[in-house]
Amino acid sequence: MRKWKCLICKYLHEGDTPPDKCPVCKAPASKFVEAEPAFPEADAAGDAAAGESRTHSSAAPPSRKSKILDGVADLLSRRHAHPISVHFPNGLLPVALMMFLLAWLFDAATLATAGFYNLAFVILALPLVIFTGFLDWERKYKKALTPMFQIKIIAAAVVFAACLISLFWYLIDPGVIGSPQGWLFILVSGVAVAAAGVAGHIGGKLVFKD
Ligand SMILES: [Zn+2]
């Protein structure tokens, strides 16, 4: 049985031919290379390509500062800073939604305040999550724009936008949950949680390949 490796997400396929589409990242068959167990050249080919593009992009030798920044970016990517940091908003966001929902159901202003503080910490964590996600996409997936990455990027943008809308809406009108628009405010939080779920589901597929 021959083995084929997806150059985008490193998924391994067993069969006489590569699959029409990568079941993990939806990359086309052309993105598959044969992976010989004795020669891990699929990795080498990918790394060589990456190295080539790196040397092409930098005509001048990299400065000391850019070398340090590159080292930090590599470290963040290799030590899985994205999957780690994403647990902050993904853990806090559903709690914020629950607080807002309970505040709405029981007309409890303190729960709305609790939800707001949870949301504030989500917003604080999101820049790191988005930045490390971009680094992984750039370094591990060579900025591939298969449908799965497009959906993931859109989902991240929706989370960020919905959280910012909720934050500013609450700051402008702290009594919004008790107002006639309370349901709409909760719906916006619900959209943020759903989009975070979509982004997380795809992330899980990329990390675990199943
Ligand atoms: Zn793939």
Side-chain angles (χ1 to χ4, degrees):
M1 192 69 90
R2 295 164 79 181
K3 279 190 176 166
W4 304 86
K5 185 173 184 174
C6 173
L7 284 174
I8 307 294
C9 73
K10 316 281 187 275
Y11 167 77
L12 273 178
H13 172 82
E14 284 190 15
D16 294 332
T17 56
D20 292 339
K21 250 188 195 179
C22 173
V24 175
C25 74
K26 314 283 184 247
S30 61
K31 292 284 176 195
F32 276 81
V33 291
E34 188 151 17
E36 294 287 338
F39 301 96
E41 87 288 330
D43 256 342
D47 289 349
E52 222 170 78
S53 67
R54 218 171 282 155
T55 41
H56 277 304
S57 63
S58 52
S63 70
R64 194 188 151 94
K65 191 179 160 199
S66 80
K67 257 190 202 164
I68 292 172
L69 288 178
D70 206 46
V72 170
D74 258 352
L75 192 69
L76 284 172
S77 194
R78 272 190 291 116
R79 296 294 170 202
H80 313 295
H82 182 68
I84 293 169
S85 63
V86 81
H87 285 82
F88 286 90
N90 279 5
L92 293 168
L93 203 47
V95 177
L97 175 63
M98 289 307 286
M99 292 293 169
F100 290 145
L101 200 58
L102 290 171
W104 184 58
L105 287 173
F106 301 108
D107 197 18
T110 49
L111 291 178
T113 310
F116 168 75
Y117 282 117
N118 272 292
L119 191 64
F121 280 102
V122 170
I123 300 259
L124 283 176
L126 278 179
L128 178 68
V129 172
I130 291 170
F131 174 65
T132 55
F134 177 81
L135 286 181
D136 275 5
W137 179 54
E138 185 185 40
R139 275 142 208 276
K140 290 185 182 154
Y141 306 111
K142 315 283 186 274
K143 291 193 180 175
L145 259 185
T146 59
M148 137 180 256
F149 288 103
Q150 290 172 2
I151 294 168
K152 199 157 158 57
I153 291 164
I154 291 168
V158 169
V159 173
F160 198 42
C163 287
L164 280 179
I165 290 168
S166 301
L167 186 91
F168 284 109
W169 194 349
Y170 188 92
L171 282 173
I172 292 164
D173 179 12
V176 58
I177 290 174
S179 78
Q181 288 84 40
W183 65 272
L184 189 60
F185 180 87
I186 287 162
L187 186 69
V188 173
S189 301
V191 166
V193 171
V198 169
H201 175 72
I202 295 173
K205 267 182 132 180
L206 281 171
V207 170
F208 299 109
K209 318 258 187 257
D210 57 14

